[in-house]
Amino acid sequence: MEEGRGSSEDLLQAQKAYWDEQQPSVDGMLGGLGFVHDTDIAGSRAFLDKVMPLREGQQDRGRALDCGGGIGRVTKHLLLPAGFTSVDILDVSSDFLDKAVDYVGSDALKNRFCSGLSQFDFAGTGLKWNCVWVQWCAIYLADDAFVDFFRRAAAALADENSLVVLKENALRGDRPPEPDHDDSSVTRSDSHMRRLFERAGLRVVHAEEQKGFPAELYPVISYALVPR
Ligand SMILES: C[S@@+](CC[C@H](N)C(=O)[O-])C[C@H]1O[C@@H](n2cnc3c(N)ncnc32)[C@H](O)[C@@H]1O
């Protein structure tokens, strides 16, 4: 992956072209691994309840942004059941965002932002979020774009109890990033991502590896992040 503005547009077009060929379904969102859906959602819910516990009597967690949210799998099965009463989805695919209306099937789904992650103007929406959830799409950001995206996501948090959550594939050890030329992504080690969080001015409040996924898959790590 190349850094820079022109190349980031080329990268976005390549990623969009890849995703335009994928099915607007749970299986499509999970790259043909639809069988991990239940385990993924249960793991995410346990993580969310740990890092963002509901206070006594609190039922409403506020507003969430589901980044790279596709058809709204995370919105429908995690964010809305967990108590976010307004959720916005950001994705590069207008087809997935169209599908999200019926798939999510709830008025609590508010805005559907069709944009690349790098190109998304958080501040321009005039909104703030209690949780910015970023799952299985940060692999589409080159390093500088990753740092910029997470810095801007953190600036869009509503208050000091709000979090950015990244749930992403990772490499074990401190191995060099692995590019995938099929979908124009790059998978990084946990250490590499932590160095990028540092550059973005973010602190890792808690991190945890998803349990119960097949051993042949990449480890998947969830990070709860706040501005330093
Ligand atoms: C592996 S799917 C994950 C979908 C969702 N987060 C989930 O867990 O069900 C990756 C998603 O990222 C979106 N995507 C890929 N590159 C992107 C980019 N540069 N900007 C925004 N979205 C992107 C795809 O359209 C797709 O919906």
Side-chain angles (χ1 to χ4, degrees):
M1 274 202 214
E2 308 270 319
E3 303 286 357
R5 212 166 173 75
S7 60
S8 88
E9 192 51 44
D10 292 349
L11 196 56
L12 181 68
Q13 289 316 317
Q15 292 160 349
K16 184 173 169 343
Y18 174 86
W19 281 99
D20 279 348
E21 297 298 314
Q22 310 309 311
Q23 290 300 311
S25 63
V26 167
D27 208 45
M29 294 297 98
L30 297 175
L33 303 173
F35 60 88
V36 305
H37 167 75
D38 289 343
T39 307
D40 165 57
I41 294 294
S44 296
R45 182 60 192 268
F47 184 82
L48 188 61
D49 287 341
K50 189 179 288 181
V51 296
M52 199 178 251
L54 286 170
R55 294 184 301 278
E56 180 90 16
Q58 184 195 358
Q59 280 171 358
D60 180 352
R61 287 187 197 264
R63 187 170 200 120
L65 176 64
D66 182 0
C67 295
I71 63 169
R73 184 187 71 87
V74 170
T75 293
K76 180 182 176 81
H77 298 282
L78 174 71
L79 299 171
L80 294 177
F84 290 98
T85 47
S86 300
V87 180
D88 306 302
I89 302 182
L90 157 63
D91 201 277
V92 70
S93 164
S94 56
D95 289 350
F96 292 167
L97 291 171
D98 285 347
K99 174 78 181 182
V101 176
D102 283 345
Y103 179 70
V104 175
S106 166
D107 291 343
L109 172 57
K110 305 295 185 195
N111 298 291
R112 292 170 295 123
F113 299 113
C114 190
S115 168
L117 299 169
S118 298
Q119 293 75 9
F120 185 58
D121 181 8
F122 287 91
T125 65
L127 295 168
K128 293 280 182 178
W129 290 277
N130 301 90
C131 180
V132 176
W133 192 273
V134 187
Q135 180 158 358
W136 281 323
C137 58
I139 53 171
Y140 296 111
L141 294 166
D143 279 3
D144 286 354
F146 183 113
V147 169
D148 179 60
F149 174 80
F150 279 95
R151 182 180 287 125
R152 292 183 303 112
L157 293 177
D159 57 31
E160 67 283 0
N161 298 315
S162 305
L163 290 173
V164 176
V165 175
L166 170 64
K167 186 168 186 176
E168 192 53 271
N169 292 346
L171 304 175
R172 291 209 189 279
D174 197 3
R175 289 166 34 210
E178 271 180 15
D180 180 332
H181 299 294
D182 285 343
D183 67 350
S184 306
S185 69
V186 61
T187 301
R188 305 168 168 95
S189 67
D190 170 57
S191 321
H192 191 110
M193 285 191 276
R194 285 176 186 266
R195 285 192 289 271
L196 298 183
F197 297 145
E198 187 80 20
R199 279 179 56 196
L202 298 183
R203 180 167 66 84
V204 179
V205 176
H206 183 66
E208 210 169 284
E209 184 173 334
Q210 169 71 50
K211 297 188 183 69
F213 277 1
E216 60 273 22
L217 299 186
Y218 283 121
V220 174
I221 305 181
S222 298
Y223 303 89
L225 303 159
V226 292
R228 242 189 282 120

